[in-house]
Amino acid sequence: MVDNWRGERAQPVAVGPPRRGMTRSDRIREARSRRKRRIVTGLSLTLLIVVVIGVVFLGSRLWHTMFGGGDDYAGEGVNDVVIEIHNGDSTTAIGETLQHHDVVATVKSFVNAAARNSTISSIQPGFYKVRTEIPASNAVDRLSDPQNRVGKLVIPEGRQLDDLQDVKTNAVTDGIFSLISRATCVNFDGDQRCVSVDDLRRVAGSTDPVALSVPDWANSAVIAMGNDHRRLEGLITPGTWNINPSSSPREILSTLVGASATQYAQGGILDTAKAMNMSPYQILTVASLVQREAKPQDFAKVARVIYNRLAEHRTLEFDSTVNYSLDRQEVATTDADRAQMTSWNTYVRQGLPATPICSPGEQALAAAEHPAAGDWLYFVTVDMQGTTLFTRDYQQHLANIELAKHNGVLDSAR
């Protein structure tokens, strides 16, 4: 019985001598290695948990900042600020711009406010004055109000850089510099700021043409004018522009000149000039003369007169070129005016004036590129309705001038 009991009971685990080949030092190193692996594994797991928690936290914060949380500002705001809405901006894109400038607290608050206000669809691309830290609904209202749109610049066809005074009425026609200055006037927190006409003139005359985005085809003519601000004449096209009132005079002029150069190129002036064996700058100058000398119905004929006179090496003798440097508008000029030596006076200067004399419109530019067929050398407007007579015969031209005097278009003393 005793022997059977001993045979059936569990045998003890051996705890005798260590495995062969391992010294006491080996066992100690192995134990240390196991402890280090456990510690490294634990630290790695802890670090991974911290990183995951951090990513989740930061992602949640970013999501709630941009799209969630429903946070919104209250009150009348802190400071006036100008923001830009680009063509094609979605409501979310506008909200992101507003949040970036701290106008609204979150993009979501603006998107929600816009969804409740149908006027959001009337917002046009451009610059708007709003305030920082205002309720999203207030931001929508401000952007929908045309009074808050700033930096809108409208340049009519035929304007020159400087103001122009009518001799008979003394009425002043704003030049492009004055129009730019007025477009930049914005009241910031009770303080009106404008880019001045003097600063625009100074920058136009002294800044490197490259920094003003002058196109290559106009660069040499611009440089030849030295520090005269009128070297940029004609390089800003007519039309409607959006300019940032917060920009410097250099930035504003560079934007306008660069965008205008793109418009001219897209209109085909480079290819047309090559076909006509002229420079784009010469065609632009011809177009400016056409704009000032004629009515639209006669643009193409006047362009032909210019080319005919240039081909025969005759002086152009346009009163508009005399008036240009005098910053005035007068149908008839005096002998003293016509005798003045200027870079534009085509009574004493052979060929084209040194620069364009205004910013021509599309019709005048088209006439310069595609003049009418004819052999005319002279033209004169003979009545108050704008009737213009063209001829190649000088004696006939003198008779036409007498008719113009008789009808009161020209001064009889001329």
Side-chain angles (χ1 to χ4, degrees):
M1 291 291 292
V2 174
D3 290 339
N4 290 338
W5 174 80
R6 286 180 179 176
E8 293 176 358
R9 67 177 178 175
Q11 298 297 314
V13 178
V15 292
R19 288 173 292 175
R20 293 179 181 178
M22 291 189 66
T23 65
R24 185 172 183 274
S25 297
D26 292 335
R27 293 197 306 274
I28 293 173
R29 280 195 297 270
E30 185 179 13
R32 288 177 177 172
S33 178
R34 286 196 298 270
R35 285 197 298 270
K36 287 182 179 179
R37 287 197 295 270
R38 286 195 297 269
I39 292 172
V40 170
T41 301
L43 289 176
S44 299
L45 183 59
T46 301
L47 180 60
L48 178 61
I49 294 173
V50 170
V51 169
V52 171
I53 293 174
V55 170
V56 172
F57 175 76
L58 292 177
S60 177
R61 286 290 301 274
L62 180 61
W63 175 264
H64 284 286
T65 297
M66 294 186 64
F67 301 105
D71 294 338
D72 200 0
Y73 289 126
E76 296 300 318
V78 179
N79 298 309
D80 290 329
V81 64
V82 172
I83 62 99
E84 181 180 9
I85 294 178
H86 300 88
N87 188 31
D89 273 358
S90 64
T91 304
T92 299
I94 296 174
E96 291 171 350
T97 298
L98 294 173
Q99 186 197 37
H100 176 73
H101 288 84
D102 200 24
V103 175
V104 298
T106 65
V107 175
K108 183 178 181 181
S109 64
F110 177 78
V111 172
N112 289 340
R116 297 190 296 269
N117 192 330
S118 60
T119 60
I120 191 70
S121 61
S122 65
I123 298 177
Q124 300 295 313
F127 293 91
Y128 292 82
K129 187 183 80 168
V130 290
R131 289 182 67 78
T132 59
E133 300 186 21
I134 57 175
S137 59
N138 191 339
V140 174
D141 291 338
R142 287 174 182 269
L143 292 177
S144 303
D145 186 352
Q147 296 298 318
N148 290 319
R149 184 175 178 181
V150 295
K152 184 178 180 180
L153 170 65
V154 179
I155 301 177
E157 296 177 352
R159 293 295 174 95
Q160 64 183 52
L161 295 175
D162 294 323
D163 296 348
L164 191 65
Q165 184 174 25
D166 188 289
V167 172
K168 291 184 178 180
T169 65
N170 290 325
V172 175
T173 300
D174 288 332
I176 294 174
F177 285 156
S178 290
L179 295 174
I180 293 174
S181 178
R182 185 174 298 114
T184 63
C185 287
V186 179
N187 190 311
F188 286 97
D189 301 313
D191 179 24
Q192 189 175 56
R193 307 175 198 172
C194 308
V195 172
S196 72
V197 171
D198 288 341
D199 283 344
L200 290 167
R201 286 198 185 106
R202 175 181 54 77
V203 169
S206 62
T207 304
D208 184 345
V210 174
L212 293 175
S213 300
V214 172
D216 292 341
W217 49 264
N219 196 54
S220 60
V222 169
I223 293 175
M225 290 302 296
N227 293 330
D228 194 322
H229 66 271
R230 289 171 289 193
R231 63 185 185 155
L232 293 187
E233 194 72 81
L235 297 180
I236 299 176
T237 61
T240 300
W241 301 91
N242 291 312
I243 57 176
N244 188 345
S246 303
S247 295
S248 68
R250 185 198 65 77
E251 291 169 334
I252 292 172
L253 291 179
S254 178
T255 297
L256 293 173
V257 172
S260 296
T262 299
Q263 285 190 14
Y264 283 134
Q266 291 175 343
I269 193 173
L270 303 182
D271 294 335
T272 301
K274 185 176 181 179
M276 296 177 69
N277 197 28
M278 298 177 68
S279 73
Y281 195 77
Q282 289 174 319
I283 292 180
L284 182 61
T285 303
V286 170
S288 73
L289 297 176
V290 169
Q291 184 78 58
R292 280 292 178 83
E293 285 285 334
K295 300 291 184 183
Q297 63 267 25
D298 295 317
F299 278 174
K301 286 186 176 181
V302 171
R304 174 52 63 191
V305 170
I306 294 172
Y307 290 128
N308 287 345
R309 293 185 73 86
L310 291 175
E312 295 188 14
H313 304 289
R314 296 170 179 257
T315 52
L316 294 179
E317 300 182 4
F318 284 175
D319 288 338
S320 58
T321 64
V322 176
N323 287 325
Y324 173 75
S325 59
L326 301 175
D327 294 328
R328 74 181 192 190
Q329 179 145 358
E330 173 64 271
V331 175
T333 55
T334 66
D335 290 338
D337 292 335
R338 294 190 293 274
Q340 291 189 38
M341 292 295 299
T342 73
S343 298
W344 298 273
N345 185 354
T346 55
Y347 278 91
V348 297
R349 176 188 174 93
Q350 188 75 36
L352 295 170
T355 73
I357 61 172
C358 70
S359 290
E362 291 184 3
Q363 285 182 285
L365 194 58
E369 295 175 328
H370 306 286
D375 63 352
W376 315 292
L377 291 174
Y378 310 98
F379 66 93
V380 62
T381 300
V382 297
D383 58 32
M384 296 301 180
Q385 288 71 46
T387 303
T388 301
L389 301 180
F390 293 80
T391 183
R392 181 178 179 82
D393 183 77
Y394 183 63
Q395 294 303 317
Q396 181 60 53
H397 179 57
L398 292 179
N400 293 340
I401 289 177
E402 290 302 316
L403 178 60
K405 291 179 179 179
H406 175 75
N407 291 334
V409 177
L410 294 178
D411 189 340
S412 58
R414 180 174 175 178

